[in-house]
Amino acid sequence: IVKHKKAKDSPMPVADSGQKMTRTQKRKFDEINTTTSADVDPTTAALEHEREQATKVKNIQCVELGCYEMDTWYYSPYPEEFSKCSKLYLCEYCLKYFRKAKTLDRHKVKCEWRHPPGDEIYRDGNISMFEIDGKKAKIYCQSLCLLSKLFLDHKALYY
């Protein structure tokens, strides 16, 4: 059993061992110590409740990226026409998303990209890491954020 306490100089709760809490422990801690609706004005409380209801249920069940098919974990704010389909198809190079596999196949013929935009900064065998400038590849970065949000519960998206 781990008992939690706050460090003297840190607002972040820590376990008795002095280590920071895990995400699950922090989420439970935050649930217990959240502000009540009495502390917030009615308009803000109503907007927050509406957002919570909209994001409770994941909208896209599955994503196909290249030869991989992945079940999603969380809600992601894809445009409405895409969020209503259960499976989303993504181009593995430019991350453009489609509702139908045929549309993706047509796109693959036209897509000139063979790697992410930006500079390759690391390579080990068949694994590469790219540094991407968000100002130069805005659409790619937005698509990457939407994709990552399907697998991360607490990710803020800014466009």
Side-chain angles (χ1 to χ4, degrees):
I1 298 175
V2 177
K3 294 181 182 177
H4 304 287
K5 62 182 180 179
K6 287 190 176 185
K8 293 179 182 176
D9 298 331
S10 172
M12 175 72 165
V14 294
D16 279 337
S17 64
Q19 296 178 333
K20 287 187 179 180
M21 294 172 58
T22 64
R23 287 182 185 155
T24 305
Q25 291 169 334
K26 183 178 182 324
R27 206 172 289 137
K28 287 179 183 176
F29 179 85
D30 289 342
E31 285 175 10
I32 294 169
N33 298 308
T34 55
T35 57
T36 62
S37 57
D39 298 340
V40 181
D41 66 277
T43 306
T44 305
L47 289 170
E48 182 62 26
H49 179 71
E50 184 180 327
R51 185 196 65 79
E52 284 177 11
Q53 293 304 314
T55 61
K56 242 182 210 182
V57 180
K58 67 179 180 177
N59 51 348
I60 297 166
Q61 304 302 316
C62 182
V63 172
E64 186 176 301
L65 180 66
C67 62
Y68 299 99
E69 188 174 285
M70 301 167 278
D71 291 332
T72 61
W73 299 347
Y74 300 107
Y75 167 85
S76 183
Y78 276 94
E80 192 172 335
E81 63 269 17
F82 294 97
S83 63
K84 290 184 178 179
C85 61
S86 62
K87 187 173 184 179
L88 201 60
Y89 300 89
L90 282 88
C91 174
E92 60 189 307
Y93 303 113
C94 68
L95 296 184
K96 189 168 180 176
Y97 41 90
F98 303 94
R99 290 181 288 183
K100 298 179 182 176
K102 279 188 172 185
T103 314
L104 173 62
D105 291 339
R106 282 186 298 208
H107 167 79
K108 284 180 180 179
V109 172
K110 297 177 190 175
C111 187
E112 297 176 357
W113 293 19
R114 291 296 168 252
H115 59 78
D119 301 323
E120 185 178 27
I121 57 172
Y122 176 79
R123 179 182 292 239
D124 184 18
N126 63 349
I127 304 291
S128 295
M129 296 295 291
F130 287 82
E131 180 179 42
I132 300 165
D133 185 352
K135 287 183 181 179
K136 293 179 181 174
K138 184 177 180 179
I139 301 298
Y140 182 88
C141 290
Q142 287 178 358
S143 296
L144 181 61
C145 286
L146 288 170
L147 175 63
S148 65
K149 183 67 177 95
L150 290 169
F151 302 96
L152 300 171
D153 189 19
H154 295 286
K155 167 144 183 48
L157 300 178
Y158 302 101
Y159 303 173

